[in-house]
Amino acid sequence: MPSNTTASSAEKPARRRGRRARLVLLALVLALVAGVGCGAYWGVSTVRASFPQTTGTIKLKGLSAPVDVKRDANGIPQLYASTDEDLFRAQGFVHAQDRFWEMDVRRHVTAGRLSEMFGAGQVETDAFLRTLGWHRVAQQEFDEKLSPETKKYLQSYADGVNAYLAGRDNSDISLEYAALGLTNDYKPEKWTPVDSVAWLKAMAWDLRGNMQDEIDRSLMTSRLSEQQIKQLYPAYPYDLHQPVVTAGALDDDAKKWDPKGRPSSDSSDSSGSSGSSSQGGAGLGSGPGAGSGSGSDAGQGAQTQLSGLSDVLDRVPALLGPNGNGIGSNSWVVSGKYTTTDKPLLANDPHLAPQLPSLWAQMGLHCRAVSEKCSFDVSGYTFSGMPGVVIGHNEDIAWGFTNLGADVTDLYLEKISPTGWTSGRGIRPFKVREETIRIAGGGSKKITVRETDHGPLISDRSAELERVGERAPVRTPAPDRGNGFGVALRWTALDPGNTMDAVFKLNRAKDFAGFRAAAKDFDVPSQNLIYADAEGHIGYQAPGRIPVRAEGFDGSMPAPGWNPTSGWKGYIPFDELPYEYDPKRGYIVTANQAVVDAEKYPYLITKDYGYGSRSQRINDIIESKIKDGGKISTDDMRTMQTDNQSEIAKLLTPHLLRIDVSDPHVREAQKLLEGWDYTQEPDSGAAAYFNAVWRHVLKLAFGNKLPKELRIRGECLNVRPADSTGPVDDLNSLVRECGQRDADSAQPDGGDRWYEVVRGLMDDEDSEWWQSPKTRKDVATTTRDQLLARAMKDARWELTAELGKDVNSWSWGRLHQLTLKNQTLGTEGPDVLRWMLNRGPWNLGGGEAAVNATGWNAAGGYDVIWVPSMRMVVNVGDWDKSRWINLTGASGHAYSAHYTDQTDKWAKGELLDWAYSDRAVEAATEDTLALRP
């Protein structure tokens, strides 16, 4: 590569390709796959054209002083600058060098402009995203909410991205653009500060809370009674799984959270949080002018309509993963009195959908001398497309995130007419705007977005959703339904906020007070924030804009928009949100469990927390290590992150071993469980068999009884009609139904909610849930042990087909595989591109709700759909002894040496050295790029 280039030079002439040229180029790509010389030459030259320059000198327009970019053996960059603006300009340039395709796809998602890149097939998705209006809200935040300093940093970052793009053809940016050029003449436009802010909306969408549970509970009403639904959403098991905050209360006089306080017996008001996922008295079920409704017509109407909404949600690209139980994370911090370092140790591993490249980009942002004009010295995990560090540490503090899971969305049924919508004050006019969706290759589509006071009418985006509410289960008094009710979405992220300010404040925080000040601006998404500092303190803060609902409404079911009392009454004040500082127990664990005991906190945070399997396992390991004066090391923290134990296996396996099995082949499989320690290692045959049994238990006991809208698409079963009261073994009473749900979001997914469902049924051996109808091959089951025996048999024959007849050859890793897929083209592109862009599979251990959370959906199969997207262990105070790893590598370029160079180590649970000090960074540096004014 040349040693001296200019990033802002004039652009090369655009290449005009006609149909003939496209066919020729396609032939060359196919030749590459076949190994033909000319195709191989085209492929190598095209790939290399987009590789970033990592040594020598580049002139970067706008810099006030030189910036050095030092990369280690894994290509991880550390940036050194003399001003804040130079630092973020360089960060934008380096992000674009490594990851611009990823950045460009993300901004087209957040702006609802995917059709401009990929054509007419994305129009419906764009229409839904335009209706949500992420980019519009981001623009409002930039214009009205963010501080002048934050705006300056965002502009510097955008300038750096644009300096990289200037003068480059598509094929000079990435292989994906060269491939995209086969179908259209798309050219990336300049980056804007709002493109960076809008990314926070996508993150908030994927971490939005219980919206899918709200839909699912509504859909269940077509087949299940209120009591049955309640059994499938059991109360949080506080007696088994402790919450994040185990002490503390609101000071009734000061109205502030006291982290060391003890709540009085009457500290919870009538609308307080239950922390459970029970259906409760929510939404349509209570409150003036609303009711739960009944009757098969109403139930079937709601089923069809909400299924349409669920289908639309499945089509929205989930940049972090499908919304549901899988989205989570682990983080914990241990005080120095219990560590071998005598300073705190902090661990974090966010659980997200696997992507290639990883969602995270490791980076250090260093001022050569920290001063007023250059105030950052921070290192950690960044989002390409956004300035700053999201998770990591500076010279004083370290922090980590997990998803709090606060319920920040509500669906509202709206009585609509051509002139407006019905509120408690009569007919109100819609807020209306027009949107134009441009389509690659020419053409466009115009849509009209209508909003009520509760939010945008998402029902306008689907012909099926236009009928939402035609027969919605509501009682009088309610407005005449006419042609049906619309569905509006109320969501905290659709109100402008200050989260981007919080990122920079967090990066520069010096102590717990500064940390909390940053958290106060962290509006969305609501996260659990853990903390440690070099002085030895540890802490926790629950931030975010969390709505306060009126009595009788808990967000678990759609609410009546015409009811004047159904709206939000404000947000939980920041000073009244839970936090802890140096708790007596000496450690803090957050893993998506309940934040605080419902009886000790007067506000509702959510009805749909995770159920605490991972968090309690971490708590138990910590307690076992520190008892009798034990200490925890950095390597102990790493080992904990890869803990594979299954809580449901510990509960079920003793029962499975007591079942008398007569079939010798099933008995062979059953014997695998004898002496098993419930750990799910990749080479474990017992783990493979148990998880197959668990999958079939769920299917027989619950899955076959759920409505088709929740079951996996294309899986057809003979099931009892929704209104059937006939005997369970009457084959003539069964009907053929095919599932309709995407595999990643189908139910029962097997997460720890289902652990609690089954735990609550184990002592009721004759529960109706244990009943399953007879088939051509099997007799009906009426008891727990009969169903377990049938599941053991079904699992044996499924694994015989999947892994072979010899049970000694079975292994969990052969079933439980991870394939990394490139965004868009790696999932939707032609086979040749998937072959070029995707990597894998890897055989993994771990599993759903294990600390090593390599999640899978039991309804959909065994493939890995959730992963620890990164892992870090921060050695607080002695920063250079910290360790980290990314799911993939630093580069987004398909044939770079750093595309997936961290994945093998990640799969084995290994971590890399994390250099922070100038001396350590210099020792680790292999390439240095000088950016010059």
Side-chain angles (χ1 to χ4, degrees):
M1 282 189 172
S3 62
N4 189 17
T5 60
T6 302
S8 58
S9 59
E11 296 184 6
K12 301 173 184 176
R15 298 174 183 171
R16 299 184 177 273
R17 298 186 179 93
R19 184 171 182 270
R20 178 186 177 95
R22 290 176 184 171
L23 290 174
V24 170
L25 191 52
L26 179 58
L28 292 177
V29 176
L30 295 174
L32 167 63
V33 180
V36 177
C38 63
Y41 174 79
W42 177 87
V44 170
S45 64
T46 300
V47 168
R48 287 180 174 172
S50 62
F51 282 8
Q53 180 179 337
T54 59
T55 60
T57 301
I58 293 178
K59 291 181 179 179
L60 180 56
K61 183 179 178 180
L63 287 181
S64 65
V67 176
D68 290 330
V69 181
K70 301 181 179 183
R71 295 179 184 263
D72 66 10
N74 294 100
I76 298 170
Q78 303 281 343
L79 279 56
Y80 289 84
S82 300
T83 70
D84 291 336
E85 292 88 340
D86 284 352
L87 190 61
F88 294 120
R89 183 174 278 103
Q91 186 183 21
F93 184 86
V94 172
H95 272 164
Q97 276 190 310
D98 289 339
R99 302 280 194 94
F100 186 74
W101 169 261
E102 175 190 17
M103 294 165 59
D104 203 15
V105 170
R106 282 181 184 171
R107 69 164 164 178
H108 279 78
V109 170
T110 58
R113 296 174 55 192
L114 286 168
S115 300
E116 296 177 21
M117 294 184 76
F118 304 111
Q122 299 296 326
V123 168
E124 285 190 24
T125 299
D126 282 345
F128 187 78
L129 294 166
R130 295 285 186 95
T131 298
L132 295 179
W134 293 348
H135 201 270
R136 291 180 64 255
V137 179
Q139 185 70 60
Q140 285 181 271
E141 290 184 354
F142 185 81
D143 292 341
E144 304 168 10
K145 290 286 187 176
L146 298 181
S147 70
E149 181 183 66
T150 294
K151 292 181 182 181
K152 180 173 59 176
Y153 297 158
L154 287 164
Q155 186 61 60
S156 294
Y157 181 90
D159 290 344
V161 175
N162 293 328
Y164 174 77
L165 293 177
R168 284 181 166 83
D169 279 343
N170 285 9
S171 59
D172 296 327
I173 300 173
S174 78
L175 174 62
E176 292 92 333
Y177 287 112
L180 197 64
L182 298 172
T183 59
N184 65 59
D185 57 357
Y186 172 82
K187 177 73 177 178
E189 62 188 34
K190 287 187 175 182
W191 194 264
T192 73
V194 177
D195 292 333
S196 296
V197 179
W199 165 237
L200 292 170
K201 301 303 171 186
M203 185 171 70
W205 174 256
D206 286 335
L207 301 174
R208 65 191 177 273
N210 76 334
M211 187 171 169
Q212 191 65 60
D213 287 316
E214 188 174 339
I215 294 168
D216 288 355
R217 278 189 288 264
S218 299
L219 291 170
M220 286 179 184
T221 59
S222 69
R223 280 193 167 273
L224 305 176
S225 68
E226 183 175 346
Q227 179 59 31
Q228 289 172 322
I229 295 172
K230 188 172 182 178
Q231 285 181 298
L232 299 187
Y233 288 86
Y236 186 88
Y238 289 103
D239 57 331
L240 296 174
H241 301 156
Q242 68 187 54
V244 175
V245 177
T246 57
L250 285 181
D251 183 317
D252 290 335
D253 296 324
K255 286 299 180 185
K256 290 186 177 182
W257 179 262
D258 175 6
K260 300 183 184 299
R262 296 293 183 271
S264 61
S265 59
D266 61 349
S267 64
S268 177
D269 67 20
S270 60
S271 62
S273 167
S274 72
S276 74
S277 298
S278 61
Q279 191 170 347
L284 303 178
S286 61
S292 61
S294 61
S296 60
D297 285 346
Q300 184 59 42
Q303 179 187 39
T304 300
Q305 297 140 13
L306 287 169
S307 175
L309 174 56
S310 184
D311 288 344
V312 169
L313 297 180
D314 273 342
R315 288 197 296 269
V316 176
L319 296 180
L320 308 186
N323 186 258
N325 286 344
I327 282 197
S329 303
N330 301 322
S331 70
W332 64 94
V333 60
V334 181
S335 169
K337 67 180 178 180
Y338 293 129
T339 69
T340 59
T341 65
D342 295 326
K343 288 289 182 72
L345 295 174
L346 184 150
N348 195 190
D349 54 283
H351 306 154
L352 304 169
Q355 297 180 17
L356 182 59
S358 165
L359 181 79
W360 303 105
Q362 296 147 291
M363 185 176 284
L365 301 175
H366 307 280
C367 288
R368 290 193 173 90
V370 176
S371 63
E372 185 176 345
K373 72 173 184 176
C374 198
S375 54
F376 293 87
D377 189 10
V378 61
S379 183
Y381 293 86
T382 70
F383 289 142
S384 57
M386 199 177 93
V389 168
V390 179
I391 294 174
H393 72 84
N394 59 32
E395 62 182 344
D396 297 301
I397 75 164
W399 67 93
F401 285 2
T402 65
N403 192 25
L404 189 150
D407 184 0
V408 295
T409 61
D410 276 343
L411 298 175
Y412 281 86
L413 292 182
E414 305 283 20
K415 169 58 181 175
I416 60 177
S417 68
T419 58
W421 60 284
T422 300
S423 75
R425 292 174 286 173
I427 303 296
R428 301 281 304 280
F430 294 112
K431 303 168 192 172
V432 179
R433 69 176 189 272
E434 302 290 332
E435 298 272 355
T436 300
I437 299 170
R438 298 197 305 273
I439 303 171
S444 63
K445 179 178 179 179
K446 289 187 177 182
I447 64 169
T448 299
V449 178
R450 301 185 294 175
E451 295 186 11
T452 73
D453 286 354
H454 300 119
L457 277 175
I458 55 177
S459 52
D460 282 351
R461 297 285 72 85
S462 163
E464 188 171 28
L465 283 178
E466 289 176 2
R467 302 191 302 274
V468 169
E470 281 182 1
R471 292 171 295 183
V474 296
R475 297 192 190 103
T476 56
D480 175 61
R481 65 182 72 248
N483 292 326
F485 301 127
V487 176
L489 173 65
R490 183 79 171 97
W491 177 33
T492 56
L494 296 184
D495 297 326
N498 295 79
T499 303
M500 200 68 237
D501 286 338
V503 172
F504 298 116
K505 287 183 179 180
L506 191 56
N507 284 197
R508 293 183 294 200
K510 300 292 184 183
D511 51 27
F512 193 62
F515 170 78
R516 292 195 72 216
K520 188 172 185 179
D521 281 339
F522 208 98
D523 295 316
V524 293
S526 293
Q527 298 285 284
N528 296 304
L529 270 63
I530 62 165
Y531 166 93
D533 65 38
E535 297 298 318
H537 302 291
I538 65 173
Y540 163 83
Q541 177 68 57
R545 192 186 294 147
I546 303 174
V548 176
R549 295 172 175 85
E551 184 175 354
F553 295 93
D554 63 9
S556 64
M557 296 282 276
W562 55 86
N563 184 338
T565 70
S566 68
W568 294 353
K569 307 304 177 185
Y571 303 98
I572 301 175
F574 180 79
D575 285 342
E576 299 179 35
L577 289 168
Y579 74 91
E580 280 193 314
Y581 186 60
D582 288 336
K584 184 177 180 181
R585 66 184 179 279
Y587 62 89
I588 301 169
V589 175
T590 83
N592 319 116
Q593 78 271 40
V595 171
V596 65
D597 193 320
E599 294 183 359
K600 299 179 181 178
Y601 193 66
Y603 294 108
L604 171 65
I605 293 178
T606 184
K607 295 287 242 179
D608 293 291
Y609 285 121
Y611 280 76
S613 291
R614 285 180 285 107
S615 61
Q616 193 56 47
R617 175 63 177 165
I618 297 166
N619 276 302
D620 290 345
I621 295 174
I622 292 173
E623 284 290 341
S624 71
K625 287 185 177 296
I626 65 177
K627 69 179 180 181
D628 302 325
K631 298 279 190 175
I632 294 175
S633 69
T634 303
D635 197 57
D636 289 332
M637 299 284 277
R638 179 198 65 81
T639 302
M640 290 166 63
Q641 288 179 321
T642 57
D643 182 82
N644 286 328
Q645 187 172 102
S646 167
E647 181 178 359
I648 191 61
K650 194 173 183 179
L651 172 69
L652 273 186
T653 299
H655 291 276
L656 299 176
L657 288 172
R658 286 196 293 267
I659 292 175
D660 185 15
V661 175
S662 58
D663 186 318
H665 298 292
V666 180
R667 173 60 184 146
E668 277 185 322
Q670 184 189 37
K671 289 172 69 174
L672 291 173
L673 302 178
E674 295 176 356
W676 181 43
D677 62 359
Y678 317 123
T679 60
Q680 303 168 97
E681 299 299 328
D683 60 356
S684 171
Y689 182 56
F690 174 80
N691 282 315
V693 173
W694 172 236
R695 170 170 144 83
H696 285 280
V697 167
L698 292 169
K699 179 179 178 181
L700 292 168
F702 312 105
N704 293 356
K705 297 161 189 171
L706 296 177
K708 60 183 180 294
E709 291 85 0
L710 271 67
R711 299 202 313 269
I712 185 170
R713 182 176 292 114
E715 184 178 87
C716 300
L717 302 170
N718 293 321
V719 298
R720 297 173 65 177
D723 58 353
S724 172
T725 57
V728 71
D729 60 350
D730 181 6
L731 292 179
N732 293 324
S733 70
L734 304 181
V735 296
R736 191 74 168 167
E737 279 190 355
C738 297
Q740 299 177 354
R741 182 67 64 84
D742 182 82
D744 289 352
S745 57
Q747 293 292 338
D749 61 15
D752 60 359
R753 171 165 69 90
W754 294 100
Y755 294 7
E756 295 311 310
V757 171
V758 171
R759 193 194 309 276
L761 295 172
M762 289 304 291
D763 292 335
D764 186 0
E765 298 184 31
D766 299 314
S767 166
E768 62 184 342
W769 291 109
W770 301 123
Q771 299 176 12
S772 62
K774 74 177 182 180
T775 67
R776 309 285 181 217
K777 297 180 179 179
D778 296 288
V779 297
T781 70
T782 58
T783 68
R784 178 197 67 197
D785 287 354
Q786 288 174 353
L787 186 139
L788 293 179
R790 183 160 155 187
M792 290 171 70
K793 185 184 77 169
D794 290 350
R796 193 335 172 181
W797 298 118
E798 181 188 22
L799 294 198
T800 297
E802 293 284 339
L803 302 177
K805 187 176 181 179
D806 182 4
V807 300
N808 295 314
S809 70
W810 292 356
S811 70
W812 176 225
R814 287 175 59 202
L815 276 180
H816 191 54
Q817 294 186 323
L818 167 68
T819 299
L820 293 173
K821 297 180 179 180
N822 178 278
Q823 279 189 303
T824 61
L825 294 183
T827 56
E828 303 293 336
D831 289 345
V832 60
L833 277 177
R834 298 188 195 195
W835 177 83
M836 295 173 74
L837 298 174
N838 297 344
R839 299 291 182 270
W842 282 265
N843 296 347
L844 299 185
E848 187 71 26
V851 178
N852 185 17
T854 56
W856 55 288
N857 185 306
Y862 302 100
D863 285 344
V864 176
I865 61 172
W866 297 106
V867 292
S869 57
M870 61 80 158
R871 297 187 184 103
M872 73 176 193
V873 176
V874 183
N875 197 313
V876 177
D878 196 354
W879 306 111
D880 289 332
K881 291 184 179 178
S882 301
R883 309 272 286 164
W884 62 352
I885 198 78
N886 206 349
L887 171 64
T888 61
S891 178
H893 297 283
Y895 289 93
S896 165
H898 306 305
Y899 193 45
T900 57
D901 59 331
Q902 297 186 51
T903 308
D904 285 344
K905 289 183 172 61
W906 172 92
K908 296 174 185 176
E910 298 175 4
L911 301 175
L912 301 172
D913 291 335
W914 182 354
Y916 174 72
S917 70
D918 293 351
R919 177 179 53 81
V921 170
E922 189 61 38
T925 296
E926 296 210 349
D927 288 343
T928 299
L929 173 67
L931 302 178
R932 295 294 180 259

